[in-house]
Amino acid sequence: MASLGTTLPLWRRLAPHLAKDVFTCRQCLRNQGVAAKSIRRFGAMPSRQPTKTQSTLLNNKNRQFFTSSIQRSAAAQAAAQAIQGGAEGAKRSFPKISDKAVAYWLLGSAASVFGIVVFGGLTRLTESGLSITEWRPVTGSLPPMNAEHWESEFAKYRASPEFQLLNPNMTLSEFKSIYYMEWIHRLWGRFVGMSFVIPAVYFVARKKVSTPMAWRLVGIAGLIGFQGFLGWWMVKSGLKDDLFAPGSHPRVSQYRLTAHLGAAFTCYVAMLWNGLAILRSHRLMADATAGIDELAALRSGKLAFFRRSVAGIALLVFTTVISGGLVAGLDAGLIYNEFPYMGNGFAPPKEELFDARYSRHEDRSDLWWRNMLENPSLVQLDHRMLAMTTFTSIVALLAYTRIAPSMKRHLPAAARKGVHGVFAFACCQVGLGISTLLYLVPTPLASAHQAGSLFLLTWVIVLGSRVWHPSRTAKLVKMAAEMAKKKTTNAPSFTARKV
């Protein structure tokens, strides 16, 4: 306190000669961009000779602070100009990089698709998918509102093969439970479509997205509409006797079920990937210099094999999911409920795997592919082989990242963590798959197994986004770095006055 009291007169004499910006916090200087103004004000100080105390205040530390403030301000302005294409150009054309709000909306839409895929699996497992026998995209948004309407819907269901062959003793209250399951699934699908199309139109109209992203949004919107058509096309296959084998269990076509599932996964991946790409672009543009270094490291030839391996694993996971759709469509999980054996060996006899009964041509030219897609025994064996191949590939990728010297030196820390996440989800998914098989496909385990496939694919996509080199964003980052360098070079330099 004594030392402070002795210096107060000195500060009173010094204060009139200092700019007001000296007493402003660093955050305000950065936000208001007044660092350059402060330098000019210090340079325009009166010609009066400064004291030693003044020279001490304006030391190297202060000069470094003001210089770094100019550099950060220049980098931020350069990134904004690179993203928007100039203040005037942004009003007339689409920006170079989509707004962050678009990324968050895409990730939210992906979460909604994730939920409807899991709920759709529950709808199938509870045999609820064929309870609504008509496709009414508009009027079907409301459930039956009175007893007369319920009786009408129940009468339509009683005319279906599923009721006549499987549920001839079903009561109205039991019908209501499966009806509501399918109604919620369809209503959720409508919500996914509306919650995507309306914001997409808004973002495009307000020029919040880049030109390539605008076209991608159009493609995803079209895929959502096509997905709704595939859903009804799938349900329709279980409502007519001539669309499945006579005397067999009434079920939807495994081909249509697989197409419906594959389109849903494709839609989910498109939303997730583009949302992550937008956020990554903004992160790289926030610090262009560091972004250039990061992208240069990703372009290293040492990571080329790793990137191809991640893409291959993503394809393997998606293919395994598609084969799982065939397993679900044929109820192939209800046979050979043991692991790793299938009967007396690791695979059933060849005569069972390639049964001539599945062929429809006299020359047996369709024997192999029809058994692969229609024979439950071979379909389950294919799914097992794909699942184990995927798991083995993930384990090999993990070992490669931990053993290879080039991976230890060049693989980013975020990617290394991503590999660990993929391995963890793969272990969970294998455990869920084996448990579902051993316990004869109980609904909770089967639903968790389907959700696990989505989690695994999600983490593989996240890993891919961390090692993928975005060429278009790299050009924008380079442009922002060059503009920031020019602004820093042209900024007025600060030199302390000597006594």
Side-chain angles (χ1 to χ4, degrees), residues 300-323:
S300 172
K302 303 293 184 180
L303 297 179
F305 177 76
F306 182 85
R307 285 195 296 269
R308 289 194 293 266
S309 299
V310 174
I313 288 176
L315 182 61
L316 269 175
V317 172
F318 186 81
T319 306
T320 306
V321 168
I322 296 301
S323 71

PDB file of all heavy atoms in Angstrom, residues 300-323:
ATOM      1  N   SER A 300       0.212 -35.590 -46.216  1.00  0.00           N
ATOM      2  CA  SER A 300       1.417 -36.420 -46.228  1.00  0.00           C
ATOM      3  C   SER A 300       1.115 -37.796 -46.803  1.00  0.00           C
ATOM      4  O   SER A 300       0.072 -38.408 -46.518  1.00  0.00           O
ATOM      5  CB  SER A 300       1.970 -36.557 -44.799  1.00  0.00           C
ATOM      6  OG  SER A 300       3.017 -37.496 -44.758  1.00  0.00           O
ATOM      7  N   GLY A 301       2.028 -38.287 -47.617  1.00  0.00           N
ATOM      8  CA  GLY A 301       1.864 -39.617 -48.187  1.00  0.00           C
ATOM      9  C   GLY A 301       1.871 -40.715 -47.143  1.00  0.00           C
ATOM     10  O   GLY A 301       1.379 -41.819 -47.394  1.00  0.00           O
ATOM     11  N   LYS A 302       2.383 -40.418 -45.953  1.00  0.00           N
ATOM     12  CA  LYS A 302       2.410 -41.408 -44.879  1.00  0.00           C
ATOM     13  C   LYS A 302       1.007 -41.760 -44.402  1.00  0.00           C
ATOM     14  O   LYS A 302       0.790 -42.829 -43.833  1.00  0.00           O
ATOM     15  CB  LYS A 302       3.231 -40.878 -43.699  1.00  0.00           C
ATOM     16  CG  LYS A 302       4.665 -40.493 -44.058  1.00  0.00           C
ATOM     17  CD  LYS A 302       5.493 -41.698 -44.431  1.00  0.00           C
ATOM     18  CE  LYS A 302       6.949 -41.299 -44.690  1.00  0.00           C
ATOM     19  NZ  LYS A 302       7.784 -42.466 -45.053  1.00  0.00           N
ATOM     20  N   LEU A 303       0.055 -40.846 -44.624  1.00  0.00           N
ATOM     21  CA  LEU A 303      -1.320 -41.078 -44.168  1.00  0.00           C
ATOM     22  C   LEU A 303      -2.241 -41.584 -45.266  1.00  0.00           C
ATOM     23  O   LEU A 303      -3.427 -41.812 -45.012  1.00  0.00           O
ATOM     24  CB  LEU A 303      -1.897 -39.789 -43.575  1.00  0.00           C
ATOM     25  CG  LEU A 303      -1.219 -39.235 -42.325  1.00  0.00           C
ATOM     26  CD1 LEU A 303      -1.900 -37.947 -41.882  1.00  0.00           C
ATOM     27  CD2 LEU A 303      -1.255 -40.260 -41.201  1.00  0.00           C
ATOM     28  N   ALA A 304      -1.713 -41.741 -46.468  1.00  0.00           N
ATOM     29  CA  ALA A 304      -2.563 -42.161 -47.593  1.00  0.00           C
ATOM     30  C   ALA A 304      -3.165 -43.539 -47.339  1.00  0.00           C
ATOM     31  O   ALA A 304      -4.365 -43.754 -47.547  1.00  0.00           O
ATOM     32  CB  ALA A 304      -1.757 -42.152 -48.889  1.00  0.00           C
ATOM     33  N   PHE A 305      -2.362 -44.474 -46.888  1.00  0.00           N
ATOM     34  CA  PHE A 305      -2.867 -45.819 -46.619  1.00  0.00           C
ATOM     35  C   PHE A 305      -3.890 -45.812 -45.492  1.00  0.00           C
ATOM     36  O   PHE A 305      -4.895 -46.530 -45.537  1.00  0.00           O
ATOM     37  CB  PHE A 305      -1.703 -46.759 -46.270  1.00  0.00           C
ATOM     38  CG  PHE A 305      -2.130 -48.154 -45.912  1.00  0.00           C
ATOM     39  CD1 PHE A 305      -2.518 -49.041 -46.896  1.00  0.00           C
ATOM     40  CD2 PHE A 305      -2.153 -48.566 -44.590  1.00  0.00           C
ATOM     41  CE1 PHE A 305      -2.930 -50.329 -46.572  1.00  0.00           C
ATOM     42  CE2 PHE A 305      -2.554 -49.848 -44.247  1.00  0.00           C
ATOM     43  CZ  PHE A 305      -2.940 -50.731 -45.245  1.00  0.00           C
ATOM     44  N   PHE A 306      -3.639 -44.988 -44.485  1.00  0.00           N
ATOM     45  CA  PHE A 306      -4.579 -44.903 -43.364  1.00  0.00           C
ATOM     46  C   PHE A 306      -5.929 -44.373 -43.843  1.00  0.00           C
ATOM     47  O   PHE A 306      -6.982 -44.903 -43.458  1.00  0.00           O
ATOM     48  CB  PHE A 306      -4.000 -44.000 -42.278  1.00  0.00           C
ATOM     49  CG  PHE A 306      -4.878 -43.882 -41.066  1.00  0.00           C
ATOM     50  CD1 PHE A 306      -4.817 -44.824 -40.060  1.00  0.00           C
ATOM     51  CD2 PHE A 306      -5.757 -42.821 -40.936  1.00  0.00           C
ATOM     52  CE1 PHE A 306      -5.619 -44.712 -38.929  1.00  0.00           C
ATOM     53  CE2 PHE A 306      -6.572 -42.700 -39.816  1.00  0.00           C
ATOM     54  CZ  PHE A 306      -6.489 -43.651 -38.819  1.00  0.00           C
ATOM     55  N   ARG A 307      -5.907 -43.327 -44.678  1.00  0.00           N
ATOM     56  CA  ARG A 307      -7.171 -42.776 -45.181  1.00  0.00           C
ATOM     57  C   ARG A 307      -7.928 -43.801 -46.011  1.00  0.00           C
ATOM     58  O   ARG A 307      -9.153 -43.941 -45.881  1.00  0.00           O
ATOM     59  CB  ARG A 307      -6.899 -41.525 -46.016  1.00  0.00           C
ATOM     60  CG  ARG A 307      -6.533 -40.295 -45.205  1.00  0.00           C
ATOM     61  CD  ARG A 307      -6.641 -39.041 -46.062  1.00  0.00           C
ATOM     62  NE  ARG A 307      -5.681 -39.086 -47.155  1.00  0.00           N
ATOM     63  CZ  ARG A 307      -4.448 -38.599 -47.078  1.00  0.00           C
ATOM     64  NH1 ARG A 307      -4.032 -38.039 -45.960  1.00  0.00           N
ATOM     65  NH2 ARG A 307      -3.628 -38.669 -48.105  1.00  0.00           N
ATOM     66  N   ARG A 308      -7.224 -44.533 -46.865  1.00  0.00           N
ATOM     67  CA  ARG A 308      -7.894 -45.560 -47.665  1.00  0.00           C
ATOM     68  C   ARG A 308      -8.448 -46.673 -46.777  1.00  0.00           C
ATOM     69  O   ARG A 308      -9.528 -47.229 -47.058  1.00  0.00           O
ATOM     70  CB  ARG A 308      -6.921 -46.132 -48.695  1.00  0.00           C
ATOM     71  CG  ARG A 308      -6.570 -45.169 -49.821  1.00  0.00           C
ATOM     72  CD  ARG A 308      -5.884 -45.894 -50.970  1.00  0.00           C
ATOM     73  NE  ARG A 308      -4.569 -46.395 -50.565  1.00  0.00           N
ATOM     74  CZ  ARG A 308      -3.430 -45.741 -50.743  1.00  0.00           C
ATOM     75  NH1 ARG A 308      -3.462 -44.524 -51.288  1.00  0.00           N
ATOM     76  NH2 ARG A 308      -2.283 -46.248 -50.365  1.00  0.00           N
ATOM     77  N   SER A 309      -7.738 -46.991 -45.705  1.00  0.00           N
ATOM     78  CA  SER A 309      -8.210 -48.033 -44.796  1.00  0.00           C
ATOM     79  C   SER A 309      -9.497 -47.606 -44.097  1.00  0.00           C
ATOM     80  O   SER A 309     -10.427 -48.409 -43.944  1.00  0.00           O
ATOM     81  CB  SER A 309      -7.131 -48.351 -43.761  1.00  0.00           C
ATOM     82  OG  SER A 309      -5.953 -48.831 -44.379  1.00  0.00           O
ATOM     83  N   VAL A 310      -9.570 -46.356 -43.677  1.00  0.00           N
ATOM     84  CA  VAL A 310     -10.786 -45.862 -43.026  1.00  0.00           C
ATOM     85  C   VAL A 310     -11.961 -45.892 -44.001  1.00  0.00           C
ATOM     86  O   VAL A 310     -13.077 -46.288 -43.636  1.00  0.00           O
ATOM     87  CB  VAL A 310     -10.561 -44.435 -42.483  1.00  0.00           C
ATOM     88  CG1 VAL A 310     -11.855 -43.849 -41.939  1.00  0.00           C
ATOM     89  CG2 VAL A 310      -9.502 -44.449 -41.385  1.00  0.00           C
ATOM     90  N   ALA A 311     -11.715 -45.494 -45.248  1.00  0.00           N
ATOM     91  CA  ALA A 311     -12.783 -45.553 -46.258  1.00  0.00           C
ATOM     92  C   ALA A 311     -13.230 -46.990 -46.494  1.00  0.00           C
ATOM     93  O   ALA A 311     -14.433 -47.273 -46.636  1.00  0.00           O
ATOM     94  CB  ALA A 311     -12.295 -44.924 -47.563  1.00  0.00           C
ATOM     95  N   GLY A 312     -12.280 -47.918 -46.521  1.00  0.00           N
ATOM     96  CA  GLY A 312     -12.630 -49.327 -46.698  1.00  0.00           C
ATOM     97  C   GLY A 312     -13.451 -49.868 -45.541  1.00  0.00           C
ATOM     98  O   GLY A 312     -14.408 -50.634 -45.745  1.00  0.00           O
ATOM     99  N   ILE A 313     -13.095 -49.473 -44.323  1.00  0.00           N
ATOM    100  CA  ILE A 313     -13.856 -49.929 -43.158  1.00  0.00           C
ATOM    101  C   ILE A 313     -15.271 -49.356 -43.188  1.00  0.00           C
ATOM    102  O   ILE A 313     -16.249 -50.040 -42.846  1.00  0.00           O
ATOM    103  CB  ILE A 313     -13.115 -49.536 -41.867  1.00  0.00           C
ATOM    104  CG1 ILE A 313     -11.862 -50.401 -41.706  1.00  0.00           C
ATOM    105  CG2 ILE A 313     -14.022 -49.689 -40.646  1.00  0.00           C
ATOM    106  CD1 ILE A 313     -11.005 -50.031 -40.526  1.00  0.00           C
ATOM    107  N   ALA A 314     -15.404 -48.087 -43.593  1.00  0.00           N
ATOM    108  CA  ALA A 314     -16.743 -47.495 -43.714  1.00  0.00           C
ATOM    109  C   ALA A 314     -17.590 -48.287 -44.711  1.00  0.00           C
ATOM    110  O   ALA A 314     -18.781 -48.556 -44.463  1.00  0.00           O
ATOM    111  CB  ALA A 314     -16.637 -46.037 -44.139  1.00  0.00           C
ATOM    112  N   LEU A 315     -16.992 -48.681 -45.829  1.00  0.00           N
ATOM    113  CA  LEU A 315     -17.717 -49.477 -46.816  1.00  0.00           C
ATOM    114  C   LEU A 315     -18.070 -50.849 -46.266  1.00  0.00           C
ATOM    115  O   LEU A 315     -19.173 -51.368 -46.512  1.00  0.00           O
ATOM    116  CB  LEU A 315     -16.869 -49.614 -48.087  1.00  0.00           C
ATOM    117  CG  LEU A 315     -17.499 -50.383 -49.253  1.00  0.00           C
ATOM    118  CD1 LEU A 315     -18.779 -49.689 -49.706  1.00  0.00           C
ATOM    119  CD2 LEU A 315     -16.514 -50.495 -50.417  1.00  0.00           C
ATOM    120  N   LEU A 316     -17.159 -51.444 -45.494  1.00  0.00           N
ATOM    121  CA  LEU A 316     -17.433 -52.754 -44.893  1.00  0.00           C
ATOM    122  C   LEU A 316     -18.594 -52.669 -43.894  1.00  0.00           C
ATOM    123  O   LEU A 316     -19.477 -53.541 -43.867  1.00  0.00           O
ATOM    124  CB  LEU A 316     -16.184 -53.272 -44.193  1.00  0.00           C
ATOM    125  CG  LEU A 316     -15.235 -54.146 -45.010  1.00  0.00           C
ATOM    126  CD1 LEU A 316     -13.979 -54.470 -44.196  1.00  0.00           C
ATOM    127  CD2 LEU A 316     -15.923 -55.433 -45.447  1.00  0.00           C
ATOM    128  N   VAL A 317     -18.588 -51.624 -43.069  1.00  0.00           N
ATOM    129  CA  VAL A 317     -19.663 -51.466 -42.094  1.00  0.00           C
ATOM    130  C   VAL A 317     -21.002 -51.298 -42.800  1.00  0.00           C
ATOM    131  O   VAL A 317     -22.009 -51.923 -42.424  1.00  0.00           O
ATOM    132  CB  VAL A 317     -19.376 -50.261 -41.173  1.00  0.00           C
ATOM    133  CG1 VAL A 317     -20.582 -49.962 -40.277  1.00  0.00           C
ATOM    134  CG2 VAL A 317     -18.152 -50.528 -40.312  1.00  0.00           C
ATOM    135  N   PHE A 318     -21.034 -50.473 -43.849  1.00  0.00           N
ATOM    136  CA  PHE A 318     -22.285 -50.261 -44.579  1.00  0.00           C
ATOM    137  C   PHE A 318     -22.757 -51.553 -45.249  1.00  0.00           C
ATOM    138  O   PHE A 318     -23.956 -51.877 -45.223  1.00  0.00           O
ATOM    139  CB  PHE A 318     -22.085 -49.167 -45.628  1.00  0.00           C
ATOM    140  CG  PHE A 318     -23.355 -48.766 -46.340  1.00  0.00           C
ATOM    141  CD1 PHE A 318     -24.232 -47.874 -45.746  1.00  0.00           C
ATOM    142  CD2 PHE A 318     -23.675 -49.286 -47.578  1.00  0.00           C
ATOM    143  CE1 PHE A 318     -25.408 -47.499 -46.381  1.00  0.00           C
ATOM    144  CE2 PHE A 318     -24.844 -48.930 -48.226  1.00  0.00           C
ATOM    145  CZ  PHE A 318     -25.712 -48.026 -47.623  1.00  0.00           C
ATOM    146  N   THR A 319     -21.842 -52.313 -45.830  1.00  0.00           N
ATOM    147  CA  THR A 319     -22.215 -53.573 -46.467  1.00  0.00           C
ATOM    148  C   THR A 319     -22.742 -54.573 -45.447  1.00  0.00           C
ATOM    149  O   THR A 319     -23.706 -55.310 -45.712  1.00  0.00           O
ATOM    150  CB  THR A 319     -21.005 -54.167 -47.204  1.00  0.00           C
ATOM    151  OG1 THR A 319     -20.477 -53.192 -48.116  1.00  0.00           O
ATOM    152  CG2 THR A 319     -21.400 -55.408 -47.978  1.00  0.00           C
ATOM    153  N   THR A 320     -22.127 -54.601 -44.272  1.00  0.00           N
ATOM    154  CA  THR A 320     -22.606 -55.493 -43.214  1.00  0.00           C
ATOM    155  C   THR A 320     -24.012 -55.102 -42.775  1.00  0.00           C
ATOM    156  O   THR A 320     -24.855 -55.968 -42.485  1.00  0.00           O
ATOM    157  CB  THR A 320     -21.640 -55.455 -42.012  1.00  0.00           C
ATOM    158  OG1 THR A 320     -20.310 -55.740 -42.458  1.00  0.00           O
ATOM    159  CG2 THR A 320     -22.035 -56.478 -40.972  1.00  0.00           C
ATOM    160  N   VAL A 321     -24.287 -53.802 -42.713  1.00  0.00           N
ATOM    161  CA  VAL A 321     -25.630 -53.336 -42.375  1.00  0.00           C
ATOM    162  C   VAL A 321     -26.640 -53.806 -43.417  1.00  0.00           C
ATOM    163  O   VAL A 321     -27.738 -54.266 -43.074  1.00  0.00           O
ATOM    164  CB  VAL A 321     -25.641 -51.801 -42.259  1.00  0.00           C
ATOM    165  CG1 VAL A 321     -27.074 -51.270 -42.195  1.00  0.00           C
ATOM    166  CG2 VAL A 321     -24.868 -51.356 -41.027  1.00  0.00           C
ATOM    167  N   ILE A 322     -26.270 -53.711 -44.687  1.00  0.00           N
ATOM    168  CA  ILE A 322     -27.170 -54.150 -45.754  1.00  0.00           C
ATOM    169  C   ILE A 322     -27.449 -55.647 -45.642  1.00  0.00           C
ATOM    170  O   ILE A 322     -28.593 -56.107 -45.794  1.00  0.00           O
ATOM    171  CB  ILE A 322     -26.564 -53.812 -47.133  1.00  0.00           C
ATOM    172  CG1 ILE A 322     -26.452 -52.291 -47.298  1.00  0.00           C
ATOM    173  CG2 ILE A 322     -27.413 -54.396 -48.253  1.00  0.00           C
ATOM    174  CD1 ILE A 322     -27.755 -51.560 -47.191  1.00  0.00           C
ATOM    175  N   SER A 323     -26.422 -56.434 -45.354  1.00  0.00           N
ATOM    176  CA  SER A 323     -26.643 -57.867 -45.174  1.00  0.00           C
ATOM    177  C   SER A 323     -27.513 -58.134 -43.955  1.00  0.00           C
ATOM    178  O   SER A 323     -28.297 -59.090 -43.927  1.00  0.00           O
ATOM    179  CB  SER A 323     -25.307 -58.593 -45.038  1.00  0.00           C
ATOM    180  OG  SER A 323     -24.684 -58.310 -43.799  1.00  0.00           O
TER     181      SER A 323
END
